[in-house]
Amino acid sequence: MKGEDVIQKRISFDVLGSKENIYTIDFEFFSKSGLRVICSCPAGNRGNFCKHVEAIIKGDDSILDPDFIERSKDKFQQAQQAVKEYGLDKELYEYETMVNNLKAEKKQIESKILPEIKENKSKMNAEKRRFSRRVYRGVNKA
């Protein structure tokens, strides 16, 4: 139908979880909303940003399923190109910088005022949820 947001392309590959579970990461390219990255792990199924997607965004191919490494390499390279094209690498860097700054700020506050600690945690969690929603719902090209 005219005006629908349809998947134009999908890149899927399997990654190895920390407990030897196999999860699938999908890079879905939509006609209107851009890129959406989804992982089939428990965190990803809840719509959260997970460590598997983080590793892929950072270019870590060590989590690719070793049984399908050759088949996954080309898809991994395509995913890396999409990460750069849509600015996810920069956005993740900004997110991590913000989290590290908040952690440093937390240490300073911890030694002084306990109520401020709760607010800091709330900020970190809110930012993580915002980033998770952004990655899950779709990211337009940078």
Side-chain angles (χ1 to χ4, degrees):
M1 259 192 178
K2 189 176 181 181
E4 283 186 36
D5 194 15
V6 296
I7 296 175
Q8 294 178 315
K9 179 180 177 181
R10 177 181 284 132
I11 302 169
S12 298
F13 47 92
D14 293 333
V15 297
L16 199 57
S18 56
K19 295 184 175 141
E20 303 298 314
N21 294 328
I22 304 294
Y23 302 116
T24 300
I25 293 182
D26 291 315
F27 276 64
E28 298 176 337
F29 300 84
F30 285 82
S31 57
K32 290 185 176 183
S33 59
L35 173 64
R36 182 171 73 175
V37 184
I38 303 170
C39 183
S40 66
C41 74
N45 280 332
R46 290 189 303 273
N48 294 322
F49 179 62
C50 69
K51 62 186 177 184
H52 311 107
V53 172
E54 178 181 5
I56 295 301
I57 290 173
K58 289 181 173 181
D60 181 3
D61 64 355
S62 69
I63 69 164
L64 294 176
D65 182 356
D67 293 336
F68 300 101
I69 194 84
E70 286 309 312
R71 189 173 74 196
S72 297
K73 281 287 191 183
D74 182 51
K75 292 178 180 183
F76 177 79
Q77 292 303 321
Q78 291 175 43
Q80 288 305 293
Q81 183 178 349
V83 162
K84 300 255 185 279
E85 191 175 326
Y86 285 83
L88 286 177
D89 52 343
K90 292 176 184 170
E91 202 165 327
L92 177 61
Y93 174 78
E94 290 170 7
Y95 162 75
E96 288 179 331
T97 300
M98 186 271 316
V99 168
N100 289 334
N101 288 341
L102 287 172
K103 285 179 180 178
E105 190 178 312
K106 176 186 172 193
K107 277 189 168 187
Q108 292 175 350
I109 293 170
E110 247 174 5
S111 64
K112 298 175 185 176
I113 306 167
L114 290 176
E116 287 185 33
I117 293 171
K118 288 182 182 178
E119 184 179 320
N120 194 355
K121 284 182 181 178
S122 178
K123 285 180 186 177
M124 286 191 312
N125 289 333
E127 190 62 25
K128 183 176 181 180
R129 284 190 304 273
R130 184 201 67 78
F131 188 73
S132 291
R133 284 191 304 268
R134 179 140 166 73
V135 170
Y136 187 75
R137 289 186 182 151
V139 180
N140 291 319
K141 290 183 182 179

